[in-house]
Amino acid sequence: EIMSGDWSSDVCSSDLNPLIPGLISEQELIFAADFFTGSEFYIMDNEWYNLDDTPVFNSRKFIKVNIAGFKPGNDDMPIKILFSPVDDEKIYYVRGVLSGTLNATRRNQFFKLFSDNNPQDKYKNITSSNWNSIINSKPAIGMTQDEVKLCIGNPSEIKRIPTYSGLRLVWYYNAGTMIYFEDGLVKDIKK
């Protein structure tokens, strides 16, 4: 049954205690679609989805994309931001919000997911080989700790292990990856 009149007061005065997660105004969605669709940005996140809602494995980040539109999302993230990499015509999406007003983590706000500046410009000292590994979220031997963080994020745990040759640093990730550092550089990667 659809409530008529002032539905908000009807809901508030009822015994029903609904959880209404991240709603978004239709005007905000229309504005975003009109303003952003067709624009080029750099995607800052590698948690992509296909249009059939299946996750995309081995997706990239820090690459140029074209915004293709917006669709309704889910309870937690009310917007699907559709995009297409400039080197690929297929359309993917990331989940997010347009503003910071909806229970969203800072990571899922539009301007945290997309940048109009090339992220590589901030990191002029990273070699093209290491930058390619970062784009593809694949840590490589010889990377610095900062490059690994750009590549796959912060570790869930860090341990310092004494060895005969000195102290060895091990970063552990929830997916089971272990990264071994010596003298600040990646020496070994175990999955």
Side-chain angles (χ1 to χ4, degrees):
E1 174 182 340
I2 298 175
M3 293 183 209
S4 60
D6 184 6
W7 64 268
S8 62
S9 64
D10 290 344
V11 169
C12 291
S13 64
S14 76
D15 291 335
L16 176 66
N17 189 7
L19 173 62
I20 303 175
L23 297 176
I24 185 166
S25 75
E26 185 177 14
Q27 292 82 12
E28 189 176 13
L29 191 58
I30 291 168
F31 172 79
D34 289 344
F35 191 77
F36 292 117
T37 301
S39 299
E40 285 188 350
F41 286 91
Y42 290 86
I43 189 156
M44 307 300 285
D45 193 90
N46 66 345
E47 290 184 28
W48 301 6
Y49 295 86
N50 291 301
L51 292 180
D52 66 2
D53 297 326
T54 58
V56 176
F57 298 103
N58 302 319
S59 56
R60 300 170 289 160
K61 60 184 170 186
F62 305 140
I63 63 166
K64 193 179 278 190
V65 299
N66 292 307
I67 301 298
F70 297 80
K71 286 191 174 189
N74 61 24
D75 290 345
D76 295 324
M77 294 296 140
I79 304 279
K80 290 180 181 177
I81 305 165
L82 283 62
F83 64 92
S84 177
V86 295
D87 62 355
D88 178 4
E89 302 222 356
K90 188 170 178 186
I91 295 177
Y92 305 93
Y93 75 86
V94 291
R95 295 179 177 142
V97 297
L98 295 174
S99 65
T101 59
L102 301 172
N103 288 4
T105 61
R106 291 180 58 196
R107 176 179 170 271
N108 294 101
Q109 294 174 17
F110 183 86
F111 283 108
K112 296 294 179 179
L113 293 168
F114 297 93
S115 172
D116 54 354
N117 297 315
N118 185 345
Q120 189 175 8
D121 291 344
K122 291 183 195 177
Y123 306 101
K124 302 232 184 255
N125 294 331
I126 296 177
T127 66
S128 59
S129 173
N130 280 357
W131 189 254
N132 190 49
S133 294
I134 290 167
I135 286 172
N136 290 293
S137 300
K138 295 184 179 192
I141 303 297
M143 278 186 165
T144 65
Q145 292 176 10
D146 288 337
E147 291 169 343
V148 171
K149 285 180 185 178
L150 276 172
C151 186
I152 58 174
N154 290 320
S156 57
E157 184 180 354
I158 298 174
K159 288 188 178 177
R160 289 168 177 74
I161 301 171
T163 66
Y164 289 114
S165 59
L167 197 60
R168 186 175 235 199
L169 189 64
V170 183
W171 285 8
Y172 295 89
Y173 287 86
N174 290 335
T177 301
M178 295 179 292
I179 300 184
Y180 297 86
F181 291 92
E182 286 183 14
D183 299 322
L185 299 177
V186 175
K187 292 297 179 189
D188 195 12
I189 302 167
K190 300 212 183 208
K191 296 185 181 195

